[in-house]
Amino acid sequence: MNSLTVKNLLKDNPSSQKVFIEGWVKTFRANRFISLNDGSCSENIQCVVDFENTDQEILSKISTGASLRIEGTLVESQGKGQKSEIKVDKIIILGECDMNSYPIQPKKHSLEFLRENAHLRVRTNTFSSIMRVRSNLSFAIHKYFKEKGFFYVNTPIITGSDAEGAGEMFKVTTLEIEKTPLNNKNKIDYEQDFFGKETNLTVSGQLEAESLAMGLGKVYTFGPTFRAENSNTSRHLAEFWMIEPEMAFYDLEDNMELAEEFIKSVIKDLINECPEDLEYLNKRLLDEDKSKPMNERNELNLLDRLNFVVNNDFKKITYTEAFEILKNSKPNKKKKFKYPILEWGVDLQSEHERFLVEKHFKKPVIIYDYPAKIKAFYMRMNEDGKTVKAMDILFPGIGEIVGGSQREERLDVLKARIKDLNIEEKELWWYLDLRKYGTVKHSGFGLGLERLILFATGMSNIRDVIPFPRTPKSAEF
Ligand code: 4AD
Ligand code: MG
């Protein structure tokens, strides 16, 4: 007897072969038709029960959510909508499901409700599709870099440095919070802490990735990152996954080219690997759109949007060009932006990014050469002394999906920047060493995995594309 997945069974040509399958009941109709799903794909297999010859007690235990092992024969389907079905010989109840209390009823649930039941939401079609997309994208990312000759490196999760200099870190300590020891300056005495110094969860593996690129050439990290920014938005998580490639000998131009090719490649891969899940998510989105006013509906459906990104060049503009467009834009003149664009050097907010991408260019946009003032210390200073070789990639519906730069490889310039920003030079002694011993031009970027999944699935809240989201005041499960 063959144990198969629903995915394989549905591909098979039915020829009365004996099979068994294990999964969860989606629906049970007329005491005869069991729709079974095992997570292998979005579709279910229909199992037809011989009502007369089946123990009534067993039938009474079959309900939505119950887990079963079904043995039977794979035959051509009598009904419409599927090629094959299982004619059931034997049912074994693996786990009953109390329908009175089971939160996932066979009906439409709100995304908010499912977030409160995140431990069970993967049993719904929407969330199993999202998680399969997430898995496939992750794999496509590793595949892309392997084919490009990159090495996968693991950078520390516990670190002593604040790579982004934004101070949004979670502390890691074994000191007792109520009785933290103080030193002679009346400050917490971290020398008594586990690592003998102040440590945090990493906000980025970049600095360590730079060290590895200086010997391996091209590397990438793919790991969890933590940010204690108190932004309760649909785009921010306190714990998210970031992919950070770092390349020796690459300048900003090479970096932008790689990032664009990379994103296109993994989305193309996804379109090939997950057609059913994308089709399902596409339908979900069309349904959702129907309840929205005309002007808020998506212009392109999900699949068209993915294909559009794969087939069109991203628009590249400097910060200064973006600033001019925004400054002269209708919403800015009519004071529609919450943060008006007045003076060169202001940071771009999500409303500005979305205006450029969704209204002005109507395609992904790469903005580069940002004012040094609003960017991190490690970015390479341009000749003008005002801007740095930074780049952000902005996506429709998402805003920033990638942030990256060419790194400052000149020791003296880097030291001056660190001093300007009041960063402790001695904390970065090892990072500065990289500029002393065989320094080279190099570049890299960070892609937020969940932001990519938002785009790929058409979901609108980042809490719905990671299994167990961590956000301010929420760390359940
Ligand atoms: O722009 P960021 O802060 O860049 C860095 O961390 C660099 N060290 C990357 C590098 O050059 N190696 O973050 C990179 C990306 C953002 O563009 C966004 O996609 C994602 O990480 N991101 C978040 N995703 C979810 N929740 C958050 N709180 C995020 N913060 C950043
Ligand atoms: Mg950024």
Side-chain angles (χ1 to χ4, degrees), residues 64-341:
T64 297
S67 48
L68 309 181
R69 174 188 161 108
I70 286 182
E71 301 178 5
T73 317
L74 191 68
V75 296
E76 227 169 273
S77 178
Q78 308 297 306
K80 276 199 194 123
Q82 67 267 330
K83 186 166 71 174
S84 40
E85 62 189 24
I86 297 177
K87 197 165 154 280
V88 176
D89 296 330
K90 186 175 172 190
I91 300 172
I92 298 168
I93 308 280
L94 300 175
E96 290 175 51
C97 180
D98 176 8
M99 272 310 278
N100 292 321
S101 60
Y102 185 48
I104 313 294
Q105 299 284 328
K107 62 163 197 182
K108 203 171 152 47
H109 293 289
S110 74
L111 294 170
E112 291 77 15
F113 173 82
L114 291 171
R115 243 169 259 153
E116 285 159 19
N117 289 282
H119 60 310
L120 297 169
R121 66 179 175 172
V122 76
R123 312 254 189 117
T124 65
N125 291 340
T126 299
F127 283 91
S128 60
S129 280
I130 294 169
M131 290 310 145
R132 280 187 295 268
V133 165
R134 185 179 170 108
S135 169
N136 273 279
L137 272 176
S138 302
F139 186 79
I141 289 166
H142 283 297
K143 190 171 132 221
Y144 174 83
F145 285 122
K146 176 149 176 63
E147 283 169 3
K148 282 260 154 185
F150 281 67
F151 297 103
Y152 171 45
V153 297
N154 304 113
T155 48
I157 287 173
I158 300 174
T159 157
S161 50
D162 177 5
E164 295 306 301
E168 292 161 332
M169 294 172 300
F170 290 101
K171 272 206 165 63
V172 175
T173 180
T174 52
L175 294 176
E176 270 187 70
I177 294 178
E178 293 82 15
K179 313 184 250 187
T180 45
L182 300 180
N183 59 20
N184 51 17
K185 286 184 190 143
N186 227 15
K187 292 264 166 63
I188 294 172
D189 186 8
Y190 286 105
E191 276 178 27
Q192 294 188 43
D193 203 350
F194 189 92
F195 296 106
K197 63 181 290 192
E198 215 178 327
T199 49
N200 326 293
L201 295 178
T202 187
V203 295
S204 157
Q206 178 196 319
L207 304 191
E208 291 88 352
E210 283 186 53
S211 144
L212 290 155
M214 292 302 118
L216 289 167
K218 291 191 286 188
V219 301
Y220 71 103
T221 71
F222 189 155
T225 13
F226 308 87
R227 294 197 185 175
E229 46 192 338
N230 208 352
S231 21
N232 223 334
T233 77
S234 56
R235 307 277 175 266
H236 289 88
L237 290 165
E239 176 179 297
F240 63 98
W241 287 68
M242 184 151 60
I243 296 96
E244 294 185 276
E246 191 68 37
M247 300 75 67
F249 318 112
Y250 270 50
D251 65 14
L252 185 67
E253 192 59 40
D254 303 325
N255 197 26
M256 292 193 279
E257 228 169 78
L258 179 83
E260 179 170 345
E261 186 194 73
F262 162 61
I263 295 179
K264 286 178 172 172
S265 162
V266 296
I267 291 179
K268 203 151 108 193
D269 230 67
L270 181 71
I271 295 171
N272 291 332
E273 291 291 323
C274 284
E276 289 95 8
D277 287 315
L278 292 178
E279 190 53 56
Y280 179 82
L281 291 164
N282 191 27
K283 267 200 230 116
R284 196 200 77 85
L285 210 59
L286 291 175
D287 272 357
E288 197 182 76
D289 260 10
K290 278 186 205 146
S291 62
K292 287 186 187 162
M294 269 304 192
N295 61 346
E296 280 174 32
R297 292 186 188 177
N298 292 298
E299 279 176 36
L300 295 177
N301 74 30
L302 179 63
L303 297 172
D304 291 342
R305 260 188 275 169
L306 298 183
N307 280 308
F308 182 86
V309 163
V310 170
N311 296 323
N312 286 281
D313 287 342
F314 297 3
K315 175 75 191 173
K316 280 192 198 129
I317 53 167
T318 62
Y319 168 90
T320 304
E321 287 165 330
F323 171 77
E324 289 299 331
I325 294 171
L326 288 165
K327 196 174 158 204
N328 299 317
S329 69
K330 246 196 216 158
N332 196 49
K333 288 186 167 157
K334 291 190 170 171
K335 305 208 169 7
K336 287 274 160 62
F337 285 141
K338 190 169 160 217
Y339 300 90
I341 296 285

Side-chain angles (χ1 to χ4, degrees), residues 6-37:
V6 171
K7 186 176 179 171
N8 288 334
L9 275 181
L10 291 174
K11 268 196 227 140
D12 254 18
N13 281 322
S15 56
S16 297
Q17 63 269 46
K18 292 278 181 202
V19 293
F20 79 81
I21 187 99
E22 291 162 324
W24 295 268
V25 178
K26 281 275 171 173
T27 56
F28 183 37
R29 287 186 297 118
N31 251 349
R32 226 170 111 72
F33 302 104
I34 304 171
S35 237
L36 204 73
N37 188 280

